[in-house]
Amino acid sequence: MLNHFLLQQKARWGRCEKALGAAVMALAIALVSGCAPQQTTLDNVGTAESATVGTAATAFEWSPEADCATCHVKQASSTADAQCLASTHEDSACNSCHSDSEGLQNVHEGVASAEVELTRLKKTDIDSSYCLTCHDSYEALAGKTVDSQACTDKNGLVVNPHGLPTNVEHEDIDCASCHIMHDSRAAADQAESLCGSCHHENVYECFTCHA
């Protein structure tokens, strides 16, 4: 009788061990599967319907014919803003003004296509000669703004914005220094900010601050 009871208990333990082993195996498979790379669907701000975890961003290759609006959303939308000069130049291609191909190539080096919300380009030159194909010469423009009060210092000294004194400090000033196409501020406000960046006491006469 005792031997029969022991045999029954041994059989039960055998069945329990098999069940426990199967459960442990199933748990291990589930854990391994959960760690494997998965296909995932991106939301409406993604760049594709699906992507494998760990996929690297695609590098953007700049060229003069590239669609700038892909990343420069704010600048592209300024063509529809009546307060921006870009709205009156919507027929001009980006590379008409941004013609510095070498500089643009450098600033786009290693840029990923997903990068957006970019700011004003500060490392490229604007081609002022393109502006003058429609807006006459600097001399002609100076004649049109001879009575302008846009550049007036705190002492009442008025300087023609298109007839600045010739000196080293003014050599880098061009059309786009005050006429910023993608900015809604008036050119007069831009000019005031530009002058103030050097004439920080709002005095245009030289040697009045740093004697």
Side-chain angles (χ1 to χ4, degrees), residues 157-178:
L157 177 62
V158 180
V159 176
N160 188 332
H162 294 112
L164 299 178
T166 302
N167 54 45
V168 175
E169 287 76 14
H170 291 158
E171 285 182 355
D172 292 333
I173 296 176
D174 56 20
C175 300
S177 298
C178 300

Side-chain angles (χ1 to χ4, degrees), residues 79-92:
T79 59
D81 185 347
Q83 291 184 300
C84 295
L85 283 175
S87 66
T88 61
H89 295 77
E90 68 273 15
D91 293 332
S92 297

Side-chain angles (χ1 to χ4, degrees), residues 179-193:
H179 301 279
I180 302 176
M181 300 287 286
H182 306 294
D183 198 313
S184 61
R185 289 180 296 167
D189 295 332
Q190 303 281 10
E192 185 178 3
S193 296

Side-chain angles (χ1 to χ4, degrees), residues 12-84:
R12 283 180 188 169
W13 278 112
R15 288 194 295 272
C16 289
E17 287 178 351
K18 288 182 180 179
L20 182 60
V24 170
M25 182 64 70
L27 179 61
I29 292 173
L31 289 173
V32 171
S33 298
C35 295
Q38 302 292 317
Q39 292 294 110
T40 180
T41 301
L42 302 182
D43 59 21
N44 59 2
V45 299
T47 57
E49 289 298 322
S50 63
T52 302
V53 172
T55 300
T58 304
F60 172 75
E61 295 183 8
W62 180 87
S63 74
E65 294 75 32
D67 183 6
C68 305
T70 301
C71 294
H72 298 276
V73 178
K74 178 181 177 181
Q75 289 76 9
S77 64
S78 66
T79 59
D81 185 347
Q83 291 184 300
C84 295

